[in-house]
Amino acid sequence: MTATYAYWLPLVSTGVVGLAVAMYVVLDGFDLGIGILFPYFPQEIERDQMMNSVAPFWDGNETWLVLGGVWLLVAFPLAYSIITPALYVPLIAMLLALVFRGVAFEFRWVAKPHHRKWDIAFAAGSTVAAFAQGTMVGGLLNGFRVEAGQFAGGPLDWLTPFSVMCGVGLVVGYALIGACWLVMKTSGGVEKQARRFAKPLLLALSAFIVLISIWTPLQFERVAARWFSEGHLLYLSPVPLITAALVVSCWRGLNGRYPTVAFNAAVGLFVISFVGLAISTLPYLAPPSITLWDAAASPKSQTFMLVGTTVLVPFVLGYTVFVYYTFRGKIRPGEGYH
């Protein structure tokens, strides 16, 4: 294989991992957000309506999380061997929380009327999973201590004020996208209550985005160099400008009669934040020392994964589009799929 192929293939593999993670965050974000908001809707009929709004979609969203994890393992085994032990605690917490909320989602219906513990499990699992994901993002930005190609830090190196702030910020972000989903997909009291929650959540998320945007370059010189080196800020200026435009669009959508605009803008905030994260970290997969080329597996392994993904992902995308199209429209009180 040519040197050019060996150079570009890890970039393609990184794009696939990034796409899988972004799809998971977007598709599972409103699902987790609904769980985070669950305690603030005390009426059983409201909670039934909330869960019915995501019932056809939620169990397919983790497909993208699995795809991203498998790609990281096969295409970048060195990065996987460093990131996994460095983030064991939040990673295991996230997986256990996702298991609890998944079990609670199904058991809640069959346990009626004695389902209070499953309501708690659903809300707690959603919140813990969101917080753990945020702390992993913060841990990734913090970087990892690597010696001789192995993680040389401690099990709690990821736990810093910055990572905790990222965790809280992601909980707020998921709650926002969950509220916008409810505004778009439900009617009656749930929609009105979700609309009341969405605006303060949008303001809170905007504050977290500003805080992270200031804190990150101040704490990490490599990030400051990426954004503020001569000429870079000009080329990267569309990122904050698009972010501001999306905040305004989401606010206007919540004020008006077009809830789809608000939801799409909230999704856009996640996407543009993900783009900002990629700009801040790449080409390092295990900052600050292991680049994607350092961590890449053999071209044969990456090619094998790429062929399989090229065949399978269109089926996953087709199924996703079909489900969202089939179950379009609002869920009214008393309606559902259980």
Side-chain angles (χ1 to χ4, degrees), residues 78 81-83 86 143-153 286-290:
L78 178 59
S81 69
I82 293 169
I83 294 172
F144 311 108
R145 187 151 58 93
V146 178
E147 296 178 3
Q150 296 181 339
F151 175 63
S289 57
I290 305 297

Side-chain angles (χ1 to χ4, degrees), residues 77-290:
L78 178 59
Y80 185 89
S81 69
I82 293 169
I83 294 172
T84 303
L87 301 177
Y88 261 144
V89 175
L91 180 61
I92 295 300
M94 179 194 72
L95 294 176
L96 289 176
L98 290 176
V99 169
F100 268 97
R101 69 182 297 276
V103 171
F105 195 103
E106 297 296 341
F107 278 30
R108 179 182 183 275
W109 299 101
V110 300
K112 284 192 172 187
H114 307 291
H115 57 275
R116 184 172 181 274
K117 61 179 180 295
W118 297 117
D119 286 353
I120 295 172
F122 180 66
S126 301
T127 305
V128 170
F131 180 76
Q133 290 174 18
T135 58
M136 285 191 284
V137 173
L140 180 67
L141 285 169
N142 277 323
F144 311 108
R145 187 151 58 93
V146 178
E147 296 178 3
Q150 296 181 339
F151 175 63
L156 296 180
D157 283 3
W158 58 273
L159 186 58
T160 64
F162 179 77
S163 67
V164 171
M165 186 265 298
C166 289
V168 175
L170 193 59
V171 170
V172 171
Y174 280 160
L176 169 65
I177 199 173
C180 290
W181 172 266
L182 292 174
V183 171
M184 182 178 68
K185 290 290 291 182
T186 64
S187 61
V190 173
E191 179 189 358
K192 293 178 182 178
Q193 183 80 331
R195 198 181 290 270
R196 285 196 295 268
F197 284 138
K199 288 184 178 179
L201 287 169
L202 177 60
L203 294 176
L205 179 61
S206 302
F208 273 109
I209 291 174
V210 171
L211 179 59
I212 292 173
S213 300
I214 295 173
W215 192 338
T216 305
L218 288 178
Q219 181 163 340
F220 309 111
E221 291 184 5
R222 66 182 187 278
V223 176
R226 176 64 54 84
W227 284 90
F228 299 109
S229 295
E230 184 177 354
H232 285 197
L233 185 59
L234 177 63
Y235 294 121
L236 299 177
S237 60
V239 174
L241 294 176
I242 292 172
T243 301
L246 288 169
V247 170
V248 173
S249 179
C250 187
W251 184 272
R252 294 182 65 181
L254 291 170
N255 275 333
R257 300 164 65 180
Y258 303 99
T260 302
V261 173
F263 177 75
N264 290 338
V267 170
L269 283 173
F270 273 83
V271 173
I272 198 66
S273 297
F274 188 78
V275 170
L277 175 64
I279 292 171
S280 299
T281 56
L282 291 178
Y284 297 101
L285 286 184
S289 57
I290 305 297

Side-chain angles (χ1 to χ4, degrees), residues 56-57 185 319-329 337:
F57 316 110
K185 290 290 291 182
Y319 160 82
T320 302
V321 171
F322 173 78
V323 170
Y324 278 83
Y325 178 78
T326 301
F327 294 99
R328 65 192 182 280
Y337 310 112

Side-chain angles (χ1 to χ4, degrees), residues 5 9 12-13 16 71 301-311:
Y5 184 76
L9 190 57
V12 175
S13 298
V16 175
W71 256 97
S301 297
Q302 295 178 74
T303 302
F304 176 80
M305 282 291 294
L306 190 60
V307 171
T309 301
T310 303
V311 173

